[in-house]
Every structure is written in structure tokens, then in C-alpha cells.
Amino acid sequence: EIYGNNNIDNNIDDNYKNLSKMNNVELAKLSHILAKRKDGSKFLENIIDSNPSLASSLFFPYSLAYFEEISNNKYGNFYIKKIIKYLNKELLSKLIEFLSPLIIRLGTNQYGSKIIEQLIKSIKDDDNLVLSFIQKILPNITLLINDLNGTHIIYKLILLKSKNKNIVEENIMKNIKSIYISREGSNLLKKFFDIINKECNNTKDYKKMIIFINVINNNLPLIITDQFGNYLIRHIIHNLNNSINDILYQNIINNVAYYSNQKYSSNVVEHCLDNKKFKDLIIEEFSKQYIFNYIFLNEYGNYVIQKVLSIVEEDKRNIFFNYIINSSKQLQTLPFGPKLISKLLINYPKLSMFLWK
């Protein structure tokens, strides 16, 4: 049953001088108004803290009729969070059912999302309640992940120790194509990777990481060339220090010329050059003159070549200097060519002896 009275007089003294004279039932009836004001919300919270049983027996029933309105309020959300904190298992279960049609509207709201986070905190130790909540949230999981506020809700779920969080993890992997394409989604995937990495390192069981990396690898051409996804790949490469990383590196090396010439994936190739194990393999590919020229004469690839020049030994750099000299005429015809030549001459004065012959 939902309690509420739409005929309550809304004319409440702004200074709340009469609040202390009201009994708890009167306060509960006015809670949908009081909670949306700073002092009123704080007053109600103090009442509940002084007698937690009132959260379940009185304030919770009266809040349901105005639940979304109060939850999405900058002050009201603190009042609702306080109620949820003291709810018993039975009422938490009812609340999960009640919230089912409101998940998206609350979860994507700056204040309402805090209510969902508090609910997760309250049910985290009960696998059955966690499962019930996940089942309600699952149809909208990608919408929440890609939302500035909703993404925090999913992060709270994957931090849980509950066995049922695997359902969320599997859903993330299944829908990865819809996730990496947003800033929030890419950031969540980085956090997801960190959680898996920590778990695997602690247990020495890398099955879950292998599954995750294989999903990433199968979608690598899309993710690595994406404006947000490329940060995910760089994060994985930087933090995954075992042989599982070879899967991604081999894919990148096999397509290094293509990735070097794309706006976002070129940053990933530069990142790979900082890895001792794979630097030599990438530079070996660049040692083929036709590949070098293909990358060097590209508006994005030339930055990769500049990175290579800064890290190779002098004998190898001299070989690359010859490649640059051979392609200098073509380079000067490109929009970025004159600026690149000037930059190279400043960084490598030796080039001037050959470039203008």
C-alpha cells in the first residue's frame, strides 16, 4: 500500500519554527515537502537516526507516493538514503520491486543515482537481494554504463563480493560494442579490467582475464581506433604484465601500419613503443622502407615515427634518416610537411647535411 495525501497544506513556515512541535505522523505526512528543503531534510534525518524503527514503520510508507520526486532532489535524496539505510530485508525486497520502472529515471539523475547506490550498499551482503536487483537493472545496463551518473551504479555492482555479480560482468562483455564508445563506458571498462586483474593476481587463476582479453582482441580494430576506446587499450597494455598481453600486442604488430595511420590508434602504437618486449618487433616492421614511408607520410603516422626516432640506437636512426631523405620531396608537398621538416631539423641537426643535397 502506498500512503500519501495530496491535500496536505503546502504552506509551511520557511524557518521551520514549528517542526519541533509536530508529532512523527505529522512530519511523515509533510515529508515530501520538508525533505526537499535543506533544513527540513536534515531535521527528518535526525528524527530517523534517533529512532531507526521509524524508517520502516512510518517514513518509508509515506515516502513511496513521492519517491521519485524526493529522490531526484538535491536535499531529498539524503532523506531517502537515510530511510533505506535502516530498512529490513523484507522492505528492501519490496523497494527493489517498487523501483523497477524507475531505475533509468533515478539512475541517470545526479541525485537519484545516489539512492540506487545506497540500495546496493544496503543489500550487498544478501545474494538473493543482489540477484533480484541485478535482474531488474539488467535490461538497462548499457544505458546506465554510458551515463555520467548511471555508470557509478554499475561500478558499485562489479565491486561486490556477491557471486551474482558475474551476471553483470558477463553482460558487460556481451555488450562491449555498446560500451567502449562513450567516455563513461570506456572508463568503466578500465575499472572493470582493474578489478579482474586484481582478482586474477590474487587467486593466480587467469581464466576470467583471458576471456576478457579475448573479447577485447576480437573487437580490437573498432576499440583501438575509437576516440574513447583507445584509452582502454592503452590502459590494458600498460597494466597487464603477463603473457596474456601477447594476444593484443600480436594483433597490433600484425596491423601496425594501419593502426599507426589512424588518429586514435596511433597513440596506442606510441604507447606500445614504451614496452621493451615489443619495441624491437614494431621497429623491425618500420625498418621496411615501404612501411616506413607509408607511415611517415601520414598526418598521424608521422608522430609515431618521431617517437621511434627518439628511442632507437644511432645506427638504426641513420637508416631511418635515409628513408626520410628519400621521401623528403614528397613530404614537402603535404600540408603538414614543412612544419614536420622544421621540427626534425631542430631535433636532429644531422639531417640538414643530407636533406638539401
Side-chain angles (χ1 to χ4, degrees):
E1 183 179 2
I2 296 178
Y3 296 85
N5 187 346
N6 291 322
N7 296 318
I8 293 176
D9 181 12
N10 290 347
N11 185 21
I12 300 176
D13 179 16
D14 287 339
N15 294 319
Y16 305 101
K17 293 178 181 178
N18 298 319
L19 291 185
S20 59
K21 298 179 181 179
M22 294 182 185
N23 61 45
N24 291 332
V25 173
E26 290 175 322
L27 289 170
K29 288 181 178 180
L30 294 174
S31 60
H32 65 289
I33 302 169
L34 297 174
K36 292 186 292 182
R37 303 180 184 183
K38 184 177 181 180
D39 293 341
S41 178
K42 191 63 180 175
F43 186 87
L44 293 173
E45 291 176 61
N46 290 336
I47 292 292
I48 294 172
D49 277 332
S50 65
N51 189 353
S53 64
L54 291 175
S56 299
S57 63
L58 185 61
F59 289 102
F60 176 65
Y62 274 104
S63 71
L64 290 179
Y66 308 94
F67 196 89
E68 183 177 0
E69 177 185 339
I70 303 173
S71 296
N72 286 345
N73 180 268
K74 66 185 297 186
Y75 302 120
N77 78 94
F78 290 103
Y79 164 66
I80 297 296
K81 284 163 61 179
K82 185 68 70 173
I83 291 176
I84 294 175
K85 178 181 177 181
Y86 292 117
L87 293 183
N88 58 34
K89 179 179 177 180
E90 180 182 358
L91 289 179
L92 285 170
S93 179
K94 290 182 179 180
L95 180 59
I96 291 171
E97 292 295 325
F98 175 80
L99 288 179
S100 183
L102 304 176
I103 289 293
I104 285 297
R105 295 203 298 272
L106 289 178
T108 56
N109 181 275
Q110 179 181 359
Y111 306 112
S113 59
K114 304 300 182 183
I115 303 301
I116 307 298
E117 291 182 49
Q118 176 62 52
L119 176 58
I120 294 172
K121 184 177 180 180
S122 295
I123 66 174
K124 64 182 177 65
D125 296 322
D126 189 306
D127 281 339
N128 291 329
L129 289 179
V130 170
L131 177 60
S132 177
F133 177 77
I134 289 174
Q135 289 172 338
K136 299 299 181 184
I137 211 170
L138 212 56
N140 297 300
I141 190 169
T142 56
L143 290 175
L144 291 171
I145 288 174
N146 290 323
D147 180 78
L148 180 62
N149 300 300
T151 189
H152 298 292
I153 293 171
I154 306 305
Y155 181 54
K156 294 289 185 184
L157 287 176
I158 60 178
L159 281 175
L160 295 178
K161 295 181 180 179
S162 171
K163 61 182 180 180
N164 291 315
K165 76 168 185 174
N166 289 337
I167 300 173
V168 177
E169 294 175 339
E170 291 169 4
N171 201 273
I172 289 174
M173 294 189 195
K174 178 182 176 182
N175 293 286
I176 200 164
K177 289 182 179 180
S178 303
I179 296 174
Y180 74 84
I181 55 176
S182 73
R183 186 185 306 277
E184 292 74 24
S186 179
N187 285 337
L188 181 86
L189 287 171
K190 286 191 283 187
K191 295 175 182 177
F192 182 42
F193 163 81
D194 289 339
I195 292 171
I196 297 176
N197 200 27
K198 184 177 180 180
E199 288 179 2
C200 291
N201 288 332
N202 288 339
T203 62
K204 304 305 178 184
D205 181 354
Y206 294 94
K207 291 180 182 178
K208 187 183 290 188
M209 179 59 76
I210 291 172
I211 293 172
F212 177 71
I213 293 301
N214 278 328
V215 170
I216 295 293
N217 191 54
N218 291 338
N219 294 280
L220 188 63
L222 296 173
I223 301 175
I224 196 173
T225 55
D226 181 78
Q227 61 175 323
F228 302 118
N230 81 92
Y231 288 102
L232 169 63
I233 303 303
R234 288 155 65 178
H235 182 77
I236 292 173
I237 288 172
H238 182 74
N239 292 285
L240 188 59
N241 296 318
N242 56 52
S243 60
I244 301 174
N245 225 347
D246 291 3
I247 300 171
L248 291 181
Y249 271 119
Q250 194 57 56
N251 192 327
I252 292 172
I253 291 170
N254 290 343
N255 300 279
V256 71
Y258 173 76
Y259 291 144
S260 294
N261 283 0
Q262 308 307 309
K263 181 176 182 179
Y264 300 111
S265 56
S266 61
N267 295 322
V268 181
V269 177
E270 287 188 54
H271 201 71
C272 290
L273 287 166
D274 292 326
N275 183 283
K276 294 180 181 180
K277 182 176 181 180
F278 292 94
K279 178 184 73 173
D280 292 340
L281 293 174
I282 295 175
I283 291 175
E284 182 180 342
E285 282 295 300
F286 290 175
S287 296
K288 301 168 185 175
Q289 187 169 2
Y290 72 96
I291 291 181
F292 182 94
N293 289 346
Y294 174 70
I295 299 171
F296 180 62
L297 297 173
N298 179 269
E299 61 178 321
Y300 304 116
N302 78 85
Y303 288 100
V304 178
I305 297 300
Q306 291 180 60
K307 170 82 172 185
V308 170
L309 292 175
S310 70
I311 62 175
V312 294
E313 300 294 332
E314 185 175 1
D315 58 340
K316 178 66 74 172
R317 187 182 296 119
N318 288 336
I319 294 175
F320 290 152
F321 281 169
N322 286 326
Y323 293 169
I324 292 172
I325 292 164
N326 291 337
S327 62
S328 61
K329 289 184 179 179
Q330 187 176 354
L331 178 61
Q332 292 178 63
T333 66
L334 300 175
F336 60 89
K339 182 178 179 180
L340 176 56
I341 291 173
S342 297
K343 185 176 181 181
L344 290 173
L345 288 172
I346 292 172
N347 292 334
Y348 308 102
K350 182 179 178 180
L351 263 177
S352 62
M353 294 188 298
F354 307 96
L355 203 52
W356 308 121
K357 281 187 176 182

